[in-house]
Structures are given as structure tokens and as C-alpha cells.
Amino acid sequence: MLQKRSEAGADRSTDIETVSSTFMDYGYMDERFRENPLPLKAHHEPCRYAIQLYHHVVGDLGVKGKHVLEVGSGRGGGSNYVAEYLEPASVTGLDLSSAAIDFCRRAHTADRLTFVEGTAMDLPFKDSSFDIVMNVESSHCYPSFDKFLSEAARVLRPGGLFSWVDARFDDRLLDLERSFALSGLDLVRQTDITQNVVQALDAISDDKKRVIEEKIPRPFRPLIMSGVAVRGTLVYNALESGKLRYLSKVLRKPDRAAGEEANYPFDWSAAERFDPGAGSTLRRFQRTKTWMSRYISSKKPTII
Ligand SMILES: C[S@@+](CC[C@H](N)C(=O)[O-])C[C@H]1O[C@@H](n2cnc3c(N)ncnc32)[C@H](O)[C@@H]1O
């Protein structure tokens, strides 16, 4: 039986400070949300931009009555949003971190919501057990993106949807596309949402900065601020300039019993002409070589 309340028995699911700490994503903003704001409960209001990212990911996938898995659910705010607002049959949040799973079991009290410790590399679920698999800002941490895609495809029922958002540096994009093309999943839609994420970061940067200045010792602040992409930090600047791209894709598992073949558009000849893995290794090598030759020339022995 999962424990969903704190030791003291208090319900933390509406406590604003707890709720605010349950999202780890960068957030999302677009015209649709500006014109028609999502109706949220007061205690979810501080997480509006983070919730908008989750709504972008699954809000129009017909979640009602479906079994949903989130891989890399972190502190559970997103899985809880889906369970509390979108009427699924069930939501399962999975994360590698046992501390995050313990926190989620105490903090989130929505019905039909459970949290499981495990790895995206080897999902502890039977084949075809979910209608929707969502994955938000987590896959950049995985040792093998290909292995994760094959696991996501395995646990989806035929016809089920995989909805993914995450950031990648521009020199990794071809590799990423190659992985999707080999996954056996159909592409349903894709968008570059980098500027939507930047809009959200602009809106919440000052609040994030204030909280970090209140709670984090000074020496650690620059690292944390960049990690959460406060305006002006390395990560924020990379997103703003488009060097780091925040992408969104929905894919569908084809029904092979019905004879459907996967369909993911990919230019294999472009991939042969340019291998981003080799490219970045080459660039790293050239940078090292330049640095070494400068270093060596600055140390030339003086001939007396
Ligand atoms: C940036 S957080 C995002 C959490 C959540 N999706 C959100 O947006 O609030 C990334 C999460 O991925 C989890 N993670 C990293 N590697 C993982 C793996 N191999 N399997 C499952 N979860 C993993 C981390 O523990 C972390 O909670």
C-alpha cells in the first residue's frame, strides 16, 4: 500500500510551498494560454508555467479514461496535474530517484495516481500496458536514448501515443532524429518550442532568482541559477540564441497486427553526409589541438 500522507498525517497536496517544489521543468507559454488561461486551483497557480508545459504535452491527446505513464516524473507535479485535471483511468510516475519517489508518495494525494522507482532503460511494466507514455525534460540524462525509446514503444499498446519534450544542443539533432527514425514509432507531430520555453523563463526568472538567493548558499548560486535557466545564465542564453533547442514530439505505436508499418520522415542520405557525433568529436579534437599548440609555443625553451 503506498503511503501518500506525511508522517504527521497532514495533507501536503494543497500546501503552496510543497506544491511549488513539485515541478522541475522550464515551463511553457503560448498565445493559446495567454488568451484562454488554464483554469487552475489556487494552490497550483504558482506552477502555472510548468503546468502549461505538461498541458502542451498531453492536454489534447484525449487522456480521459486512459492509462498514462510518466517516465522521469521527478517530484511528481506533472503526473499529479494529469491525474487531478484530465480524468485518466490511471497515472503511473516512474523515476530513478528513490528520494523523489518517497517525496511523491507523501506529497500527492490524487486518486488513481501511483509512483514507482525504476529506470527508463528497463521499465518494470509488461508489454502494451499503457495508452500514453509522457516524458518531460528527462531523457537528456539517460545513458541510451535508443534503449529508452525501445522501452517506451514496448510498454505502449498498439495505437498508443508517446509524447516527448526535451532540450538538445544543435549538434546533437541529427543523432536524435536518427534515434526516432529507428524507434519503430510513427511521427504524429513535432514542434520546436524553444521560444515558448524562453517566454516562460522570462516570466518566472525573477521569482526563481529570489528563491535561490533566499535559500541557497552564495557559492552554489551560479550553478543552480544556470541549471534552472534564470535569465542571463549560460543555459538561458543557449536557449535564447537557439544553440540549445527545446523540442516537442508526439509519436504513435503502429498496430503491426493490422499490418501497419512505422512512418518517420528521415533523410538517411543527409545522415551519411554529416555525422554529428564525428563532427563534435572533431571539433573537440581541434579545440584541444589549438589549445595544446598555444600552450607548447608559450613554453618554448629559451636558448641561452
Ligand atoms: C529535470 S527532472 C524532470 C522531472 C519532471 N519530469 C519535471 O519536469 O518536473 C529529470 C528527472 O529524470 C529522472 N531520471 C534521470 N535518469 C533517469 C532514468 N534513467 N530513469 C528514470 N528517471 C530518470 C531524474 O531523477 C529527474 O527526476
Side-chain angles (χ1 to χ4, degrees), residues 22-25 54 70-74 94-97 118-121 136-138 140-143:
T22 62
F23 287 92
M24 297 159 84
D25 66 86
Y54 274 89
E70 178 175 20
V71 180
S73 49
L94 171 134
D95 203 279
L96 191 60
S97 158
T119 170
M121 299 297 95
V136 175
E137 238 175 80
S138 176
H140 60 275
C141 307
Y142 304 164

mmCIF file of all heavy atoms in Angstrom, residues 22-25 54 70-74 94-97 118-121 136-138 140-143, ligand 1:
data_model
loop_
_atom_site.group_PDB
_atom_site.id
_atom_site.type_symbol
_atom_site.label_atom_id
_atom_site.label_comp_id
_atom_site.label_asym_id
_atom_site.label_seq_id
_atom_site.Cartn_x
_atom_site.Cartn_y
_atom_site.Cartn_z
ATOM 1 N N THR A 22 7.150 20.866 -6.667
ATOM 2 C CA THR A 22 6.906 19.562 -7.288
ATOM 3 C C THR A 22 7.174 19.542 -8.793
ATOM 4 O O THR A 22 6.990 18.504 -9.430
ATOM 5 C CB THR A 22 5.465 19.057 -7.028
ATOM 6 O OG1 THR A 22 4.555 19.974 -7.625
ATOM 7 C CG2 THR A 22 5.189 18.907 -5.554
ATOM 8 N N PHE A 23 7.543 20.680 -9.369
ATOM 9 C CA PHE A 23 7.866 20.724 -10.802
ATOM 10 C C PHE A 23 9.341 21.063 -10.973
ATOM 11 O O PHE A 23 9.866 21.925 -10.272
ATOM 12 C CB PHE A 23 7.031 21.788 -11.515
ATOM 13 C CG PHE A 23 5.591 21.395 -11.676
ATOM 14 C CD1 PHE A 23 4.662 21.745 -10.720
ATOM 15 C CD2 PHE A 23 5.174 20.664 -12.778
ATOM 16 C CE1 PHE A 23 3.330 21.385 -10.856
ATOM 17 C CE2 PHE A 23 3.846 20.299 -12.924
ATOM 18 C CZ PHE A 23 2.924 20.665 -11.964
ATOM 19 N N MET A 24 9.988 20.418 -11.956
ATOM 20 C CA MET A 24 11.395 20.707 -12.221
ATOM 21 C C MET A 24 11.597 21.187 -13.659
ATOM 22 O O MET A 24 12.737 21.373 -14.088
ATOM 23 C CB MET A 24 12.226 19.435 -11.986
ATOM 24 C CG MET A 24 12.164 18.959 -10.537
ATOM 25 S SD MET A 24 12.611 17.214 -10.379
ATOM 26 C CE MET A 24 14.385 17.335 -10.327
ATOM 27 N N ASP A 25 10.498 21.357 -14.420
ATOM 28 C CA ASP A 25 10.676 21.724 -15.825
ATOM 29 C C ASP A 25 10.790 23.229 -16.004
ATOM 30 O O ASP A 25 10.541 23.993 -15.072
ATOM 31 C CB ASP A 25 9.536 21.149 -16.683
ATOM 32 C CG ASP A 25 8.189 21.765 -16.340
ATOM 33 O OD1 ASP A 25 7.867 22.817 -16.880
ATOM 34 O OD2 ASP A 25 7.474 21.178 -15.498
ATOM 35 N N TYR A 54 3.193 20.694 -19.267
ATOM 36 C CA TYR A 54 2.530 19.380 -19.233
ATOM 37 C C TYR A 54 1.249 19.388 -20.058
ATOM 38 O O TYR A 54 0.916 18.409 -20.731
ATOM 39 C CB TYR A 54 2.261 18.950 -17.783
ATOM 40 C CG TYR A 54 3.461 18.248 -17.199
ATOM 41 C CD1 TYR A 54 4.463 18.957 -16.546
ATOM 42 C CD2 TYR A 54 3.618 16.874 -17.349
ATOM 43 C CE1 TYR A 54 5.584 18.319 -16.045
ATOM 44 C CE2 TYR A 54 4.733 16.225 -16.845
ATOM 45 C CZ TYR A 54 5.708 16.943 -16.201
ATOM 46 O OH TYR A 54 6.820 16.304 -15.715
ATOM 47 N N GLU A 70 4.273 8.301 -16.823
ATOM 48 C CA GLU A 70 5.307 9.335 -16.999
ATOM 49 C C GLU A 70 6.644 8.727 -16.618
ATOM 50 O O GLU A 70 6.843 8.263 -15.494
ATOM 51 C CB GLU A 70 5.062 10.579 -16.135
ATOM 52 C CG GLU A 70 6.212 11.559 -16.357
ATOM 53 C CD GLU A 70 6.091 12.911 -15.683
ATOM 54 O OE1 GLU A 70 5.324 13.040 -14.716
ATOM 55 O OE2 GLU A 70 6.799 13.840 -16.132
ATOM 56 N N VAL A 71 7.601 8.751 -17.552
ATOM 57 C CA VAL A 71 8.963 8.269 -17.266
ATOM 58 C C VAL A 71 9.804 9.492 -16.895
ATOM 59 O O VAL A 71 9.834 10.476 -17.645
ATOM 60 C CB VAL A 71 9.561 7.545 -18.492
ATOM 61 C CG1 VAL A 71 10.973 7.050 -18.176
ATOM 62 C CG2 VAL A 71 8.675 6.384 -18.911
ATOM 63 N N GLY A 72 10.460 9.436 -15.724
ATOM 64 C CA GLY A 72 11.225 10.591 -15.239
ATOM 65 C C GLY A 72 10.283 11.617 -14.627
ATOM 66 O O GLY A 72 10.304 12.785 -14.984
ATOM 67 N N SER A 73 9.461 11.157 -13.668
ATOM 68 C CA SER A 73 8.396 12.025 -13.122
ATOM 69 C C SER A 73 8.909 13.007 -12.080
ATOM 70 O O SER A 73 8.157 13.878 -11.633
ATOM 71 C CB SER A 73 7.278 11.159 -12.537
ATOM 72 O OG SER A 73 7.804 10.167 -11.672
ATOM 73 N N GLY A 74 10.162 12.895 -11.670
ATOM 74 C CA GLY A 74 10.760 13.860 -10.740
ATOM 75 C C GLY A 74 9.965 13.962 -9.453
ATOM 76 O O GLY A 74 9.648 12.954 -8.813
ATOM 77 N N LEU A 94 7.186 7.243 -12.875
ATOM 78 C CA LEU A 94 8.376 6.414 -12.606
ATOM 79 C C LEU A 94 9.601 7.301 -12.573
ATOM 80 O O LEU A 94 9.761 8.198 -13.413
ATOM 81 C CB LEU A 94 8.540 5.358 -13.701
ATOM 82 C CG LEU A 94 9.864 4.578 -13.636
ATOM 83 C CD1 LEU A 94 9.618 3.095 -13.803
ATOM 84 C CD2 LEU A 94 10.885 5.081 -14.666
ATOM 85 N N ASP A 95 10.462 7.101 -11.595
ATOM 86 C CA ASP A 95 11.719 7.859 -11.551
ATOM 87 C C ASP A 95 12.824 6.995 -10.962
ATOM 88 O O ASP A 95 12.578 6.084 -10.164
ATOM 89 C CB ASP A 95 11.549 9.135 -10.713
ATOM 90 C CG ASP A 95 12.580 10.190 -11.073
ATOM 91 O OD1 ASP A 95 13.741 10.091 -10.581
ATOM 92 O OD2 ASP A 95 12.261 11.097 -11.861
ATOM 93 N N LEU A 96 14.057 7.340 -11.375
ATOM 94 C CA LEU A 96 15.253 6.638 -10.906
ATOM 95 C C LEU A 96 15.536 6.940 -9.434
ATOM 96 O O LEU A 96 16.136 6.132 -8.728
ATOM 97 C CB LEU A 96 16.434 7.131 -11.765
ATOM 98 C CG LEU A 96 17.760 6.435 -11.705
ATOM 99 C CD1 LEU A 96 17.613 4.974 -12.118
ATOM 100 C CD2 LEU A 96 18.750 7.131 -12.649
ATOM 101 N N SER A 97 15.117 8.122 -8.988
ATOM 102 C CA SER A 97 15.493 8.587 -7.652
ATOM 103 C C SER A 97 14.511 8.084 -6.596
ATOM 104 O O SER A 97 13.322 8.431 -6.611
ATOM 105 C CB SER A 97 15.524 10.121 -7.651
ATOM 106 O OG SER A 97 15.378 10.611 -6.348
ATOM 107 N N GLY A 118 12.300 3.175 -10.613
ATOM 108 C CA GLY A 118 12.789 2.321 -11.699
ATOM 109 C C GLY A 118 13.564 3.145 -12.711
ATOM 110 O O GLY A 118 13.682 4.362 -12.575
ATOM 111 N N THR A 119 14.073 2.449 -13.717
ATOM 112 C CA THR A 119 14.869 3.154 -14.715
ATOM 113 C C THR A 119 14.205 3.126 -16.099
ATOM 114 O O THR A 119 13.599 2.112 -16.479
ATOM 115 C CB THR A 119 16.301 2.581 -14.813
ATOM 116 O OG1 THR A 119 16.937 3.165 -15.967
ATOM 117 C CG2 THR A 119 16.321 1.071 -14.956
ATOM 118 N N ALA A 120 14.394 4.234 -16.807
ATOM 119 C CA ALA A 120 13.881 4.343 -18.172
ATOM 120 C C ALA A 120 14.524 3.310 -19.092
ATOM 121 O O ALA A 120 13.998 3.006 -20.156
ATOM 122 C CB ALA A 120 14.170 5.750 -18.695
ATOM 123 N N MET A 121 15.675 2.768 -18.675
ATOM 124 C CA MET A 121 16.405 1.797 -19.503
ATOM 125 C C MET A 121 15.773 0.411 -19.455
ATOM 126 O O MET A 121 16.085 -0.446 -20.279
ATOM 127 C CB MET A 121 17.871 1.663 -19.015
ATOM 128 C CG MET A 121 18.700 2.923 -19.079
ATOM 129 S SD MET A 121 18.895 3.523 -20.764
ATOM 130 C CE MET A 121 17.588 4.687 -20.862
ATOM 131 N N VAL A 136 9.097 14.242 -19.911
ATOM 132 C CA VAL A 136 9.286 15.693 -19.884
ATOM 133 C C VAL A 136 10.653 16.045 -19.298
ATOM 134 O O VAL A 136 10.919 15.769 -18.118
ATOM 135 C CB VAL A 136 8.151 16.360 -19.048
ATOM 136 C CG1 VAL A 136 8.393 17.861 -18.889
ATOM 137 C CG2 VAL A 136 6.800 16.095 -19.682
ATOM 138 N N GLU A 137 11.494 16.630 -20.122
ATOM 139 C CA GLU A 137 12.795 17.162 -19.673
ATOM 140 C C GLU A 137 13.596 16.154 -18.850
ATOM 141 O O GLU A 137 14.155 16.500 -17.818
ATOM 142 C CB GLU A 137 12.556 18.418 -18.823
ATOM 143 C CG GLU A 137 13.237 19.635 -19.369
ATOM 144 C CD GLU A 137 12.891 20.899 -18.597
ATOM 145 O OE1 GLU A 137 13.483 21.102 -17.524
ATOM 146 O OE2 GLU A 137 12.065 21.689 -19.066
ATOM 147 N N SER A 138 13.628 14.927 -19.277
ATOM 148 C CA SER A 138 14.317 13.895 -18.511
ATOM 149 C C SER A 138 15.280 13.094 -19.379
ATOM 150 O O SER A 138 16.344 12.674 -18.906
ATOM 151 C CB SER A 138 13.254 12.962 -17.891
ATOM 152 O OG SER A 138 13.827 11.888 -17.220
ATOM 153 N N HIS A 140 17.504 13.651 -21.541
ATOM 154 C CA HIS A 140 18.905 14.063 -21.736
ATOM 155 C C HIS A 140 19.817 13.413 -20.690
ATOM 156 O O HIS A 140 21.029 13.409 -20.842
ATOM 157 C CB HIS A 140 19.032 15.604 -21.682
ATOM 158 C CG HIS A 140 18.585 16.178 -20.364
ATOM 159 N ND1 HIS A 140 17.262 16.464 -20.098
ATOM 160 C CD2 HIS A 140 19.273 16.488 -19.236
ATOM 161 C CE1 HIS A 140 17.173 16.937 -18.856
ATOM 162 N NE2 HIS A 140 18.370 16.959 -18.322
ATOM 163 N N CYS A 141 19.204 12.875 -19.605
ATOM 164 C CA CYS A 141 20.014 12.229 -18.545
ATOM 165 C C CYS A 141 20.289 10.750 -18.834
ATOM 166 O O CYS A 141 21.089 10.137 -18.131
ATOM 167 C CB CYS A 141 19.266 12.247 -17.208
ATOM 168 S SG CYS A 141 18.679 13.823 -16.637
ATOM 169 N N TYR A 142 19.613 10.146 -19.802
ATOM 170 C CA TYR A 142 19.664 8.690 -19.933
ATOM 171 C C TYR A 142 20.948 8.212 -20.631
ATOM 172 O O TYR A 142 21.397 8.833 -21.598
ATOM 173 C CB TYR A 142 18.471 8.169 -20.730
ATOM 174 C CG TYR A 142 17.114 8.565 -20.181
ATOM 175 C CD1 TYR A 142 15.971 8.448 -20.958
ATOM 176 C CD2 TYR A 142 16.971 9.072 -18.890
ATOM 177 C CE1 TYR A 142 14.720 8.813 -20.461
ATOM 178 C CE2 TYR A 142 15.730 9.444 -18.395
ATOM 179 C CZ TYR A 142 14.617 9.316 -19.176
ATOM 180 O OH TYR A 142 13.393 9.687 -18.693
ATOM 181 N N PRO A 143 21.497 7.068 -20.174
ATOM 182 C CA PRO A 143 22.699 6.541 -20.827
ATOM 183 C C PRO A 143 22.467 6.173 -22.286
ATOM 184 O O PRO A 143 23.370 6.284 -23.103
ATOM 185 C CB PRO A 143 23.060 5.302 -20.012
ATOM 186 C CG PRO A 143 22.056 5.150 -18.940
ATOM 187 C CD PRO A 143 21.104 6.313 -18.977
HETATM 188 C C1 LIG B 1 14.781 17.670 -14.824
HETATM 189 S S1 LIG B 1 13.955 16.376 -13.946
HETATM 190 C C2 LIG B 1 12.344 16.489 -14.657
HETATM 191 C C3 LIG B 1 11.310 15.901 -13.758
HETATM 192 C C4 LIG B 1 9.867 16.074 -14.212
HETATM 193 N N1 LIG B 1 9.628 15.456 -15.499
HETATM 194 C C5 LIG B 1 9.507 17.549 -14.264
HETATM 195 O O1 LIG B 1 9.517 18.093 -15.367
HETATM 196 O O2 LIG B 1 9.226 18.132 -13.217
HETATM 197 C C6 LIG B 1 14.640 14.882 -14.661
HETATM 198 C C7 LIG B 1 14.201 13.622 -13.905
HETATM 199 O O3 LIG B 1 14.623 12.484 -14.657
HETATM 200 C C8 LIG B 1 14.995 11.478 -13.718
HETATM 201 N N2 LIG B 1 15.861 10.485 -14.365
HETATM 202 C C9 LIG B 1 17.162 10.634 -14.772
HETATM 203 N N3 LIG B 1 17.627 9.497 -15.306
HETATM 204 C C10 LIG B 1 16.612 8.601 -15.244
HETATM 205 C C11 LIG B 1 16.472 7.238 -15.645
HETATM 206 N N4 LIG B 1 17.479 6.566 -16.214
HETATM 207 N N5 LIG B 1 15.295 6.629 -15.424
HETATM 208 C C12 LIG B 1 14.259 7.279 -14.850
HETATM 209 N N6 LIG B 1 14.329 8.576 -14.450
HETATM 210 C C13 LIG B 1 15.483 9.230 -14.640
HETATM 211 C C14 LIG B 1 15.708 12.255 -12.626
HETATM 212 O O4 LIG B 1 15.768 11.512 -11.414
HETATM 213 C C15 LIG B 1 14.820 13.500 -12.529
HETATM 214 O O5 LIG B 1 13.800 13.328 -11.566
#
